[in-house]
Amino acid sequence: MREATYPPLDVLKPVAEGVWIVDSGPLRVLGMPLPVRMSVVRLGDGSLWLHSPTRYDAALHRAIAALGPIRHLVAPNIAHWTFLKAWQEHCPEALTWAAPNLRQRGQVRRSGLRIDRVLADAAPPEWAPDLRQIVVPGGLGFREVAFFHTRSRTLVLTDLVLNLEPAKMPALLRPLLHLAGMTAPGGQPPPYLRLVIKLRRGDAARAAAELVALRPDAVIFAHGLWFAQDGTDRLRNSLRWLGDFS
């Protein structure tokens, strides 16, 4: 078995002009090693926007800061916030933006995480010239906020697509992950998350249709092999559990 992650870890990797990723992990989720990924965007004003920050690393911080001032830390859904506090402490001038309902979580309140702004349906003035914003709703308070970098035609998701490579997973888990629909080339979120999102299926399907209609060239997400090419077709395939978006 190859390691579940995508080395080199905790370093900037260019995706397109003004867009980078940082691969990190693995996280252990229910005994499964899960690769995790941050996205970094340089906005038109030269500032940096960090989506779903991964574990804090001083050398990584210096590399990102060399690109411009870090002004925005983004928690795009109610699950991706664990590493934010460390980045807050080292980037005191950055605003922290959170998905709806994250602030209400008891675990978040106990952590002392500061939330400065709540993400809405439309992009705020701070990045509206560079990024479009779409909220994908679910039940039980779940929301995932998706972002589209218009200049590079790159869509940035979090857990709406999960595309694990079987060869990187423990052999005993591979059949289960395949049955759950979580493996490449057309990976989907875990069944429990699909069920949660389907509690608002109509609204979620409309939001998913909007994402496909953006016709992204590349689609980045937090876990697994991201779509560096043929983004629209591969996104449509991975979202088939929500409907036919052809």
Side-chain angles (χ1 to χ4, degrees):
M1 181 190 75
R2 293 181 292 165
E3 187 178 357
T5 54
Y6 291 86
L9 302 181
D10 304 317
V11 299
L12 282 166
K13 302 174 185 178
V15 170
E17 183 179 353
V19 183
W20 297 262
I21 58 171
V22 176
D23 288 305
S24 192
L27 301 178
R28 290 278 169 179
V29 179
L30 300 176
M32 179 176 64
L34 198 62
V36 63
R37 180 175 296 115
M38 165 168 63
S39 299
V40 177
V41 174
R42 182 163 52 202
L43 302 177
D45 63 3
S47 67
L48 276 299
W49 179 93
L50 276 56
H51 174 277
S52 187
T54 49
R55 62 191 173 199
Y56 180 81
D57 178 86
L60 173 61
H61 183 182
R62 290 192 295 271
I64 295 174
L67 300 173
I70 299 172
R71 291 284 183 255
H72 307 286
L73 306 173
V74 179
N77 67 27
I78 60 174
H80 280 248
W81 61 273
T82 310
F83 300 108
L84 273 172
K85 197 166 188 294
W87 284 94
Q88 283 184 342
E89 292 169 355
H90 291 90
C91 306
E93 296 182 358
L95 288 175
T96 296
W97 302 74
N101 301 320
L102 180 64
R103 179 180 279 151
Q104 285 71 41
R105 293 193 65 187
Q107 192 177 7
V108 173
R109 292 198 302 269
R110 290 189 295 272
S111 75
L113 179 69
R114 187 189 79 248
I115 294 176
D116 301 305
R117 304 282 191 276
V118 175
L119 296 163
D121 291 331
E126 285 85 347
W127 61 71
D130 304 284
L131 295 164
R132 289 185 60 179
Q133 190 166 307
I134 295 172
V135 178
V136 181
L140 306 178
F142 179 85
R143 303 288 187 279
E144 177 167 317
V145 186
F147 303 90
F148 183 66
H149 186 244
T150 53
R151 189 166 66 252
S152 68
R153 305 200 60 77
T154 300
L155 180 63
V156 181
L157 306 177
T158 313
D159 293 330
L160 200 60
V161 174
L162 191 149
N163 196 47
L164 300 176
E165 294 183 89
K168 287 180 172 284
M169 294 291 111
L172 290 175
L173 287 178
R174 293 172 196 171
L176 295 175
L177 294 172
H178 178 72
L179 285 172
M182 297 162 60
T183 53
Q188 307 171 24
Y192 73 85
L193 183 53
R194 299 202 297 267
L195 286 173
V196 167
I197 294 174
K198 284 179 178 179
L199 291 175
R200 292 192 59 184
R201 182 166 192 157
D203 293 333
R206 281 187 286 274
E210 286 187 62
L211 297 179
V212 174
L214 292 170
R215 301 197 61 79
D217 292 332
V219 182
I220 303 170
F221 36 85
H223 310 295
L225 185 65
W226 61 282
F227 304 152
Q229 297 175 331
D230 303 319
T232 301
D233 289 340
R234 297 174 74 180
L235 175 68
R236 184 185 293 114
N237 184 39
S238 284
L239 294 178
R240 62 192 182 278
W241 55 278
L242 269 176
D244 181 0
F245 304 113
S246 57

